[in-house]
Each structure stands twice: as structure tokens, then as C-alpha cells.
Amino acid sequence: MRSDSYTESRGATEDYVSPFSGLSPFGEAVDEAVEQSTAEFDESPFESYSFTESPFGESAYSAADEQSQLATQFLEALHDEEFTEALEQLLDEGAARALADAQQWSMTPSEAECRESLQEWIAPLITEWERTIDNFAGGLENADLHGLAEQELDELLDSLETPGALGSEVFENFLGKIVRKVKSVIKQKVRQAIGFVKNPVKGVIGIAKSGLKTIKSGLQTIGKHLIGPLLARLKKIGLSLLKGVVAKLLNPLTRILPAEIRPLVPILAKRLGIGEAADEASDEADEGTDESGTAAEMSEAFDQQLFAMFSAEEAGEADEAGADEFDEVDAEEPEHNTVAELDDARARLAAQLSAYTGSEEPIAEIEQFIPAVLAIRPLLKLGLKVTGARAKLVNLIAQPLAKLIKGMVGPDAARTIGKIAGQDPSVMIARAVVGVGFTALGLETAGQEEDTIPGEALASAVEATVTRVLDELPDAAFTDPLQVSAAVQRAFAESAAAYLPDRLLRADLPERETFEEGGFWVMMPRSTKPRYRFRKYTRVFAMPIPRQVARAVRWNDGGTLETYLLDRGVDRWPVHAEIDLYETLPGTMLGHLTRDETLPAAEHPGADEFQPLTAEAAGLLLREPALGRRRKVGTAPGAYRPVPGQRYFRVRVAKLPARKARRPRRLTTVRWDPASKRLGIVIKLSERRARGLQARLQRAAPAGQRDLPAVLSALREIFLPRLQYRIARRLLKAQLVTDPVAAAKLAGELTAATSTGLATYLAQRGAQFAAAVADPADGVTLAVTFTGVQADSTQLPAPEVVATPGLK
């Protein structure tokens, strides 16, 4: 029942504007809604950069400058974009594995069964990680690390790395990248210990602060007394990260820091004199983290754990309790799986709306559903922490929303939705994919799906409306009935246009997503109901893609759709392709999309084939820009994490080679070593690109001479876009430069020097590039390195350019 106070506050807003046309027996003729413009997402080189997060508050820097500097240098030395990419690949493969396993069950598997399957999947990687660390410990135990130059230490560490044959490219890639972090930690610890000898006075202070009490045993025993315990701790942190991967796959909204690691961060913070900040940080961690927990966030948390270990190592008797806490495993109860709870609540609401026979608006049903949506947003507005404010908001959203959908609930309405759409929704889904029938979709009984799919569509519209309202309204508006009602009406028009068939909508509705007849979004996979992991659009777009269009569509690796298709074997234009559209749910990972059960059995797409469907991409590829969404993902590795409502597309082209050539996940990477002030620009070339450039470098080219300008231009097309911004961001984060303008200037000079260095390399050392191309390994990696970069340098160090076979 609607309360009297609510009715009075509504006043003239009692009549809601419906987005539905008169085609439906439950629709009403309405005035045209006001079109809402959406601001385009413009990216500024400096508006989005942020310093690497650390467990320290800003107030601590003045009291612990030396420790702060150590933290900055340590975290910057560990920062590795390629590790984040490898972790992202691992998460995607695990997500695909978990979903594939669930699709084999006749009923929804329990969490224990899912956990067992994932633990079996990741067990070989865990075993290889432990073996690798044991190899390092055995090789370094009796080594005279004090007597080694840095280059010699690098060679020793490389000799101790003996990668095993894991039979999985994803596992091997991840192991290689995490081992690179291990080497960095070892080198920094050795460098710290050796610093005692070079400066005994400063060394004594350093020992007092970092706990290097084993130095008294002699520098010749660093390997046994210092590196050995360090590696033992490091092994445990690595294991906790792999456990965190399993936890994240089972419950995507779990906290990033594993239970056995969380005690270290406040311990470290308290040692630096910021106990209050540590307590606040702990409270914030209890409130939860971002909605999906990205690979980038997990990577950053892992680096912070490594620094906590690095600083806590042998820090004295006062910290022994903290060290004991570190050894505890699985000390906390499992966290609530809010994604599973939302799955159940969504299925319940769909069933209730489909079977609803009441004469009043379904307010109670929607009020029961809204808290499940609120639960997946742990960082929601501060004002909602008060129980009364939360309950009031639920009521203010539910009442107008229930009125808007009143005429669309119940068995008759569900059948009408199917009739207006042209035929049963289950048939529409089957028709959307050529050669795939009901059985492949898990729709053996079309009659059953005929009732559930319309209800799910309504539930999707309700869920999206609630989410949009929460995103739009400021804190102060949550208790204002008029503002909430206006936001609900606007959000529902957009949500109904997205999740219900076009023929239900008014022809003049500005929120319509397609100009012509479109499809609608259906939750998938059907075989895992109600544990749906994504939505798929029922219409598959069969479109010719001219080369000019492909060149204009950006790709996540830093290239374009053109380079992707060329690497896949396309040699004629236009390309006749089918384009599938996907939308994420809370908890979606890109690996889930690879388990689309409507695809032909022979197709096994990779997660990197799914690209964000922006308005620009939708306009170019589909001629329907409204199907796109503003880009909610960043440009850094691991930042392409799906957030609820993000849309993706995948291009399918027939008659491409079955074997996919290995392609770099990112064409250009920026590396920074703060200890040596070394900046590295890494350019990765696919096998096709490398061979194409090599052909132009040969004197046997059609012109009879090397076409160096064309080769340099091709390389510049790869590395120039955004390179200056990315270098500037790294310099700022490393605090080598603190002024953004100065950072941009220095980054511009380094970018220009990169181009000059490559030009000199091609002219003078083209034979080395040819040898790298001739190697059997797929692709070539070009590394441009500047050693000794200074903030106030008037003359940049000369770049060193090296080509190596493979995508390293």
C-alpha cells in the first residue's frame, strides 16, 4: 500500500509517463518524453592519472620520509603491466573453466563442488610455483651475493629459473611474470643489505628501521640468513594470491586482500606511526571493494603485500605476533556471495512478475528485490549506511517503478510480450544463431521458457532502473520523493528500451536503441539457470566491414580491428562478418563470455576477442550507435574489467585459419626501474607484422632497396599513440617529476628519442631484427631502453634498441 505521506509528497507527479506504445493491450498513449543527452567520454592526458596506492596515509609522509621513499621505490620497481595482463588472463581462463564445468551439471553445483573443480584446475600452477621458489632458495643459500655486481646477480637469478612444461600458455605466462617480481624483490633486498657496507652510518639506521639483524652473521651469508626466510614468506604470499584467484572466481565481490594477508598492512602502517589511519583502512576493507575486483586491483594489492613482507622481515620481537597471523590460513568464515544472492533474487522476481495476478502494483515484490541490488554495491553512498535511510530509499524507488510496470506483469502480459515480439522469445533466441537448436540452448521445453524469458526481461529492466537511479542521484536526493520519482521514470524508459522487445515501445521514444527492428537481451548461459553470467543480444548482425571502418575501430591491445583481422588471416576487403553483442551482469568476467552456448561447437574464442561496444564502435560496425555504452573501462592493463551493464562485441569471420597465430595482448608497454632510473619502451610485433616489416628491410624488395621510411612509419603507428601520456604517468607515479607540465615535456622528449633510436637501429642494425624474425618463435619484441633518466636532464641518455624473438 502507498503511504499517505508519500501520496502527499508526490502531488502532481502521480501520473507516470510510460515508454510503451499502444500496440500492447496494457500500454497507454503518452506524451513524448524529454530526450536526455549523454556527455561523451573525453580522455585527458592528466585528469585520470593516480599515484600507486600504498598502505600509508599522506599524513605519514612527513613523519616517515625515508620509509615513504622506500615504499615508493619498491612499489615502482615491482609495477609490471605485463604481470597484470597475465593475471587477467589467468582469471579469464578460470572463469571459463568454472562456467564450462557448471554447464555439465544437471543442476546448479554447490560452492564446494565449484571450489574443488577450480582447485584441481590451478593445482599444477601451485606446484610449479613452489618448485620455482625452492629452486631459488637452493641456488642462493650459499651464494656470495655481496661479491656480485648487479649484472652478475641478474645472470645468477636467470640461471636458477627453470620453467616447467605446464601445458598451458596462460599458466606459463603467469609463472614467468610472477617470477620476474620475485627477482625484483631479491635484488632490492640484496641491494639494501649491501648498502650497509657502503655507508655504515646510514646502514646502522637502516638496520634499526628495517630489521636487518642477520647482517651481523656476515654479508657472505646473506643468501642463507636473509634471502632464505624472504623466499619462504614470498612463497606463502604467492600461494595466497593463487587462493585469491580461486576465491575471486567463486565470489567476484570478495575483498581483494586474502584473510591471511590482511593483518600485515595495519602492522606495517602502525610501525610507521599511522595506527589510526591503519584502523580506518581496516574498517574500509570490511565495507568491501569495487564491484568486480579487477586484475589491476589484485596486482596492486599483491605488490603491497610484498612490500609489507619486505619491510616486516625480521622486524623484531614486537612484530612476532603479526608474523604468526601471517601464517594462518583460511582464518575467516567465507564471505557472503552477493552475486549468487542477486541471481536468486532476480529469478524470484522474474517468476513473481510472470505469475502476478494482483490488482495493485507489485510494490512488495520489487521492495524485496531492491536490497539484493544494493548489496552488490558495498561502496554505495554514505547516507545509506543508516538503516532508516536505506529503507526509505527502497520504498521511494519501488512505488513509482511498480506503477510503471503494473500493466506488464502476469501470465497474459508475458504471452503478449511474445506475441508483440513476433513469436515466442525462446524461438527468437534459437533463430538468432544459425544451426543451433533448442537442445544446445538448454531450451528443450519451449513452453517453459516462454513464461520465464519475459519475466527475466522485466526483472532486467527493474534491476537496470535501480542501478541507474543509484548512479544518477546524489546523496542529498535519496530522501526526496520528487527527485527519486523523476530519476526512476527516466531510468525505466532507458531500461525498458534496452531489455524489452522494440515493438512494445512507442515509435517516437527517444530512448529506443535501434532505428530498425532490433532484438533484446537474454540472460545466458541458459544451461546454468539461474546462475546467469551475462546477457546476449538476440539479433546477430551480419555486416560487411570495409577496411576503412576496421581501421577506425580501436582494439584493446592498442591497435585496431584492421590489425586484428589481418593477424587472423584476412586478405580481402570488405570482410563479411557476424557480430555478436554481449552485456555484463554483476560478477561477469570476460572469460564467461567465451562459454556462449549459442556459438558453433567448433568455436573456442579467447577473452581478448571481446571488445567494449562504445557508441562509436556501434555506429561504425552496426549503424546503431545507441546500442553502445560509454566506455566504463580504463586504458591500463587489467582495467578492462566488466562492470554491470558494460557491453561488448565479438567479430566472427568465416573461413579463417583454425589455428590462431599468437598475438600480443598489448602492443606497447612502458617499464620503469627506479633504482637505475631506467625507462623501457617495449614494442611487440605479431608474426605477420614482423615478417611484413622484414620484407621491406630486404634489398630484394620490389624497389630494389630497403624501404626504411615505411618500416619506421609502421612502427610509429604502433607505439606513438598515447606513449607520451603513458610515460608522463609513470614519471609522475614514480615521483621522478612532480609537475605534470614538466612530466609531459620530458615524456615528449623521450617519445621523440624513441623514434630516433629506432630509426638509427633500422639503418645500422637491421640484421639483428632479421635474425629475430627468422627465429621459430612467434612474433618479435623490440625494446628501447633509456638508462639514467633524470628529471632535470638537458640531454637525454642515448637509447639502446634490441630485437628479440618471441613476445616477451
Side-chain angles (χ1 to χ4, degrees), residues 362-698:
I363 296 175
E365 289 75 9
I366 295 178
E367 285 183 335
Q368 291 174 2
F369 173 71
I370 292 177
V373 181
L374 297 179
I376 66 168
R377 304 169 65 85
L379 297 182
L380 196 58
K381 323 290 184 178
L382 183 62
L384 291 188
K385 291 184 178 179
V386 181
T387 304
R390 188 183 183 95
K392 184 174 183 179
L393 176 62
V394 169
N395 180 268
L396 290 179
I397 294 177
Q399 295 209 36
L401 185 51
K403 182 174 181 64
L404 285 168
I405 69 168
K406 176 185 176 183
M408 301 194 66
V409 298
D412 292 339
R415 285 190 290 271
T416 303
I417 291 176
K419 181 179 180 181
I420 292 178
Q423 51 186 299
D424 292 344
S426 57
V427 179
M428 292 181 65
I429 297 173
R431 185 186 62 183
V433 183
V434 178
V436 179
F438 280 6
T439 302
L441 287 169
L443 306 179
E444 290 85 351
T445 56
Q448 179 182 1
E449 291 296 326
E450 178 184 349
D451 291 334
T452 60
I453 289 179
E456 290 169 0
L458 280 175
S460 292
V462 170
E463 181 179 346
T465 300
V466 176
T467 301
R468 289 170 188 264
V469 170
L470 296 175
D471 287 339
E472 175 185 333
L473 289 181
D475 294 4
F478 282 153
T479 57
D480 184 345
L482 181 58
Q483 292 191 64
V484 173
S485 297
V488 167
Q489 181 164 307
R490 180 167 53 254
F492 182 69
E494 296 172 351
S495 301
Y499 299 114
L500 296 171
D502 285 345
R503 294 187 187 180
L504 287 176
L505 307 174
R506 302 187 343 250
D508 63 344
L509 187 70
E511 289 83 3
R512 289 176 64 103
E513 294 193 331
T514 54
F515 172 71
E516 298 179 347
E517 181 71 19
F520 64 101
W521 299 90
V522 177
M523 287 186 282
M524 304 283 286
R526 303 305 301 176
S527 57
T528 62
K529 177 184 178 180
R531 297 291 184 260
Y532 301 124
R533 293 280 63 89
F534 58 89
R535 294 185 181 95
K536 184 171 183 180
Y537 201 57
T538 55
R539 177 184 172 187
V540 177
F541 290 82
M543 309 291 290
I545 303 177
R547 189 164 192 169
Q548 293 78 5
V549 169
R551 184 171 297 178
V553 177
R554 295 186 349 189
W555 212 252
N556 273 357
D557 60 6
T560 63
L561 174 57
E562 178 195 26
T563 59
Y564 167 78
L565 291 174
L566 289 173
D567 284 343
R568 289 295 313 277
V570 167
D571 55 5
R572 293 182 181 180
W573 302 90
V575 174
H576 294 279
E578 291 186 335
I579 303 174
D580 295 302
L581 306 185
Y582 301 86
E583 185 179 87
T584 58
L585 296 168
T588 300
M589 295 181 181
L590 289 186
H592 291 140
L593 305 186
T594 67
R595 298 303 305 177
D596 177 6
E597 60 198 344
T598 67
L599 296 177
E603 286 196 23
H604 302 286
D608 58 340
E609 296 181 39
F610 298 87
Q611 301 292 307
L613 183 68
T614 62
E616 179 184 15
L620 288 169
L621 293 174
L622 313 175
R623 284 63 160 178
E624 296 285 3
L627 281 171
R629 287 290 181 265
R630 288 184 61 192
R631 196 181 186 92
K632 299 180 182 179
V633 292
T635 55
Y640 294 105
R641 61 113 155 51
V643 295
Q646 181 67 42
R647 290 181 179 175
Y648 289 80
F649 71 92
R650 175 175 175 253
V651 177
R652 294 190 287 131
V653 181
K655 300 181 180 179
L656 289 181
R659 179 183 178 275
K660 298 178 183 178
R662 188 180 176 193
R663 302 181 68 253
R665 285 179 65 89
R666 195 168 184 83
L667 301 183
T668 306
T669 301
V670 178
R671 298 174 181 170
W672 172 252
D673 181 356
S676 59
K677 301 294 190 293
R678 181 183 299 122
L679 180 76
I681 313 297
V682 180
I683 305 167
K684 298 183 180 181
L685 306 173
S686 66
E687 186 69 15
R688 176 195 63 82
R689 270 190 162 173
R691 292 191 177 278
L693 295 179
Q694 172 59 15
R696 292 179 176 272
L697 286 174
Q698 295 175 346

Side-chain angles (χ1 to χ4, degrees), residues 87-99 118 121 168-171 249 590-591 594 607:
L87 181 56
E88 188 174 39
Q89 281 183 289
L90 186 66
L91 286 165
D92 284 336
E93 181 169 285
R97 166 67 181 260
L99 191 52
L118 287 170
W121 161 72
S168 165
E169 181 180 326
V170 172
F171 280 3
L249 294 172
L590 289 186
T594 67

Side-chain angles (χ1 to χ4, degrees), residues 99-241:
L99 191 52
D101 187 68
Q103 289 174 303
Q104 305 304 314
W105 291 75
S106 58
M107 62 181 64
T108 303
S110 67
E111 182 174 335
E113 291 166 331
C114 292
R115 183 182 298 276
E116 182 180 357
S117 174
L118 287 170
Q119 288 174 337
E120 180 183 353
W121 161 72
I122 209 169
L125 181 57
I126 289 177
T127 300
E128 196 61 29
W129 164 250
E130 294 177 318
R131 185 191 68 81
T132 299
I133 297 300
D134 290 341
N135 281 353
F136 277 114
L140 296 174
E141 181 177 5
N142 298 315
D144 182 8
L145 301 180
H146 171 245
L148 292 180
E150 185 166 349
Q151 182 176 354
E152 293 174 322
L153 178 58
D154 286 338
E155 293 173 354
L156 173 61
L157 293 175
D158 289 342
S159 69
L160 296 175
E161 183 183 358
T162 55
L166 288 168
S168 165
E169 181 180 326
V170 172
F171 280 3
E172 292 171 0
N173 184 41
F174 176 80
L175 184 64
K177 298 305 183 291
I178 195 173
V179 165
R180 190 157 71 191
K181 283 187 180 283
V182 171
K183 295 178 183 178
S184 178
V185 173
I186 292 174
K187 287 191 290 184
Q188 292 194 67
K189 199 64 174 180
V190 171
R191 190 183 300 122
Q192 184 188 47
I194 293 176
F196 170 76
V197 173
K198 294 182 178 180
N199 189 342
V201 176
K202 184 178 180 180
V204 170
I205 298 174
I207 290 171
K209 291 181 177 179
S210 61
L212 298 180
K213 64 185 182 182
T214 52
I215 295 296
K216 64 184 181 182
S217 301
L219 286 169
Q220 283 70 29
T221 60
I222 290 176
K224 180 177 182 180
H225 293 286
L226 188 65
I227 303 302
L230 184 80
L231 286 170
R233 288 279 186 89
L234 207 154
K235 180 194 289 188
K236 293 179 180 179
I237 291 181
L239 290 175
S240 74
L241 175 64

